[in-house]
Amino acid sequence: MPLWGRKKNGAESRRQHGAEARTILGWLATDPFSGVAGLLNRWAALVLWEALDEKVTPLLVEDAVESVKLRGEKLELKAAGQVGWLFLSALRMVYRKTKLQDEVAALQERQLLMKETIESAVTRGDEMEARCTTLAVRVAKQKSRQKPKMLLAV
């Protein structure tokens, strides 16, 4: 059995902890993680990690975790460690997903640029072909207007 006890019904737990989140200053109860926030608020007072608000990077998270001073009994430290691993795992998954999304966006941008370059080259090729055809027609007309030279037989 986990340290935190018996698991409640998911919907019941979310309602209970979501209601608790309403009492946390600056935390919206409509946030998808309001249930987690309500539960954490029962364990410890809210701590805002402003450095993590902009862009979460592994280095920022490491610095934030190092700044936490844990004091307590072995069981409390073990529970804090388990919760920390849970959140680190979730954060790692989100970080990887965000990184992949950024890579996909960059590839899509390159693909669009390549497509535009190809379309531009095709358009220029078509224009060049039309100019060559026009030039060939002009040359043919000029040749047909010239009087044929008669060859004198000697």
Side-chain angles (χ1 to χ4, degrees):
M1 182 162 96
L3 275 174
W4 48 89
R6 191 173 67 83
K7 185 176 177 180
K8 293 183 182 180
N9 173 319
E12 174 189 332
S13 178
R14 279 191 296 278
R15 277 193 302 276
Q16 176 186 352
H17 299 308
E20 292 172 9
R22 283 191 268 275
T23 63
I24 303 172
L25 184 62
W27 195 274
L28 298 175
T30 57
D31 188 285
F33 292 99
S34 64
V36 177
L39 179 63
L40 290 175
N41 194 47
R42 288 193 306 158
W43 295 350
L46 170 67
V47 177
L48 295 176
W49 299 97
E50 294 176 17
L52 301 179
D53 285 345
E54 295 300 318
K55 179 154 180 138
V56 176
T57 65
L59 186 58
L60 284 175
V61 173
E62 184 177 343
D63 290 345
V65 171
E66 284 180 355
S67 73
V68 174
K69 304 293 185 221
L70 288 178
R71 292 183 196 95
E73 296 180 25
K74 194 173 186 179
L75 189 61
E76 291 170 332
L77 294 176
K78 186 174 180 180
Q82 288 178 346
V83 171
W85 278 112
L86 169 68
F87 282 99
L88 181 59
S89 298
L91 182 61
R92 186 176 177 201
M93 182 183 66
V94 168
Y95 179 77
R96 286 179 177 170
K97 184 178 178 182
T98 301
K99 189 175 178 182
L100 285 175
Q101 288 172 339
D102 290 346
E103 289 174 6
V104 166
L107 287 173
Q108 288 174 334
E109 189 175 318
R110 280 190 232 155
Q111 181 184 22
L112 181 60
L113 182 60
M114 291 170 74
K115 182 180 177 183
E116 290 171 352
T117 302
I118 291 169
E119 288 173 354
S120 176
V122 167
T123 301
R124 284 186 302 204
D126 291 345
E127 290 170 358
M128 293 294 284
E129 183 180 358
R131 287 181 183 174
C132 288
T133 302
T134 302
L135 185 59
V137 169
R138 284 183 189 166
V139 168
K141 284 183 181 179
Q142 284 179 350
K143 283 189 176 186
S144 67
R145 288 184 197 150
Q146 292 178 353
K147 293 183 180 178
K149 295 181 183 177
M150 305 255 319
L151 294 174
L152 297 171
V154 187

